[in-house]
Amino acid sequence: MKIAVAGKGGVGKTFISGTLARLLARDGYNVLAVDADPNINLASTLGITREISDKIVPLSDNESLIEERTGVAPGSSYGSVFRLTPTVGDIVKKFGVVGPDDVQLLVMGTVKGGDTGCMCPANALLRVLIQHILIRERDVVVMDMVAGLEHLGRGTAKRVDTMIVVVEPRMKSVETVRRTLKLADEIEVQEVISAGNKIRNDKERRFVEERMGELGVPVAALIPYDPAVAEADMLGVAPLDHDEGSPAVNTLVALKDYLKRRYEF
Ligand SMILES: Nc1ncnc2c1ncn2[C@@H]1O[C@H](COP(=O)(O)OP(=O)(O)OP(=O)(O)O)[C@@H](O)[C@H]1O
Ligand SMILES: [Mg+2]
């Protein structure tokens, strides 16, 4: 089961992907969590300590690895000839970090200029790696995406079973859903569903349901605004470790069960 989590900046992608990854791992799945953000935000949501996460280098910044696998140093001039199909089978094992509930985290980093189709060595390596991960790795992969879906090209995106677009009850966030739908359709993601987040009242709940209805996107969860999640962030701990029974975490348990039913895994 390959799940990608997308949405506008700050809507709660990392909270949702990290918590989902751990909840699925607790159900016995072998879970890989992929962080597409070079700021390594997913680690803390997964409950990986600062001490460990501080030492992680995003693969996109790992120049010696990129050079070793593609034959070309990052930043080399355009037109350099490099290996288009670098070996990647050992990368998850080598660079992944195992956290609580045995979730393995791989920090990928961002593909620079990915949306312009730049075929720089880092880009080539990450593309092949993502393809490998989506085809070969684990029972469950949860990918915390960045807004433009740069990591997914046609071909790889087909391997994503579902993309959860996170939406706050704000018009700008709805606009991002609209753009994401268009992108997802172009690259042929199997299915896009949505999860409302930081919902404070019935008006906001209805807003999300109505806007998603207009866009024809199923609403898989309506996650309340939850002070415990904000608190966990301030304390630098995982929301799941801070308050396992908080309303937002409970809603994610329901989302996890919904996904298992909907996609029969
Ligand atoms: N349901 C919620 N209730 C309260 N606070 C929340 C909730 N969901 C997320 N937050 C808080 O909102 C902030 C942004 O969340 P998060 O980092 O998960 O978003 P993001 O979409 O991954 O952001 P970015 O685009 O910067 O990666 C965090 O401080 C997080 O703790
Ligand atoms: Mg994030």
Side-chain angles (χ1 to χ4, degrees), residues 31-51:
V31 180
L32 174 67
V34 177
D35 194 350
D37 193 325
N39 293 324
I40 317 182
N41 290 318
L42 192 52
S44 104
T45 312
L46 285 172
I48 292 170
T49 60
R50 205 54 209 251
E51 209 186 341

Side-chain angles (χ1 to χ4, degrees), residues 76-220:
S76 295
S77 63
Y78 277 91
S80 304
V81 179
F82 56 87
R83 284 194 284 280
L84 279 169
T85 49
T87 323
V88 293
D90 59 337
I91 288 183
V92 174
K93 215 181 211 155
K94 238 179 185 160
F95 296 96
V97 173
V98 179
D101 299 316
D102 282 337
V103 174
Q104 186 150 25
L105 166 68
L106 188 69
V107 179
M108 197 97 84
T110 314
V111 183
K112 293 171 195 85
D115 49 347
T116 60
C118 152
M119 277 310 282
C120 38
N123 202 337
L125 181 66
L126 292 195
R127 282 273 166 91
V128 174
L129 177 61
I130 287 176
Q131 199 151 9
H132 164 85
I133 286 170
L134 292 177
I135 295 170
R136 305 228 181 277
E137 293 284 341
R138 307 309 158 96
D139 304 336
V140 174
V141 176
V142 182
M143 295 180 66
D144 183 1
M145 308 290 297
V146 279
L149 314 181
E150 284 88 352
H151 290 75
L152 297 174
R154 223 189 283 261
T156 46
K158 273 187 209 145
R159 308 282 180 173
V160 174
D161 298 293
T162 190
M163 180 175 284
I164 305 174
V165 191
V166 185
V167 57
E168 274 185 83
R170 299 288 175 269
M171 214 53 214
K172 274 194 174 165
S173 175
V174 173
E175 265 317 305
T176 305
V177 177
R178 195 190 302 274
R179 272 200 308 279
T180 307
L181 278 174
K182 204 163 158 272
L183 276 172
D185 185 52
E186 279 166 20
I187 58 176
E188 299 175 9
V189 174
Q190 300 283 340
E191 187 166 39
V192 180
I193 60 177
S194 68
N197 190 29
K198 305 190 198 180
I199 311 261
R200 290 172 192 264
N201 52 49
D202 275 346
K203 236 184 209 163
E204 295 193 340
R205 185 186 307 270
R206 250 179 285 126
F207 176 85
V208 169
E209 284 175 332
E210 285 170 13
R211 297 293 88 73
M212 292 305 102
E214 286 161 10
L215 292 173
V217 187
V219 180

Side-chain angles (χ1 to χ4, degrees), residues 8-15 37 197-198 223-226 229-230 233:
K8 193 181 175 315
V11 287
K13 299 181 290 293
T14 301
F15 160 57
D37 193 325
N197 190 29
K198 305 190 198 180
I223 305 159
Y225 178 86
D226 185 344
V229 175
D233 178 275

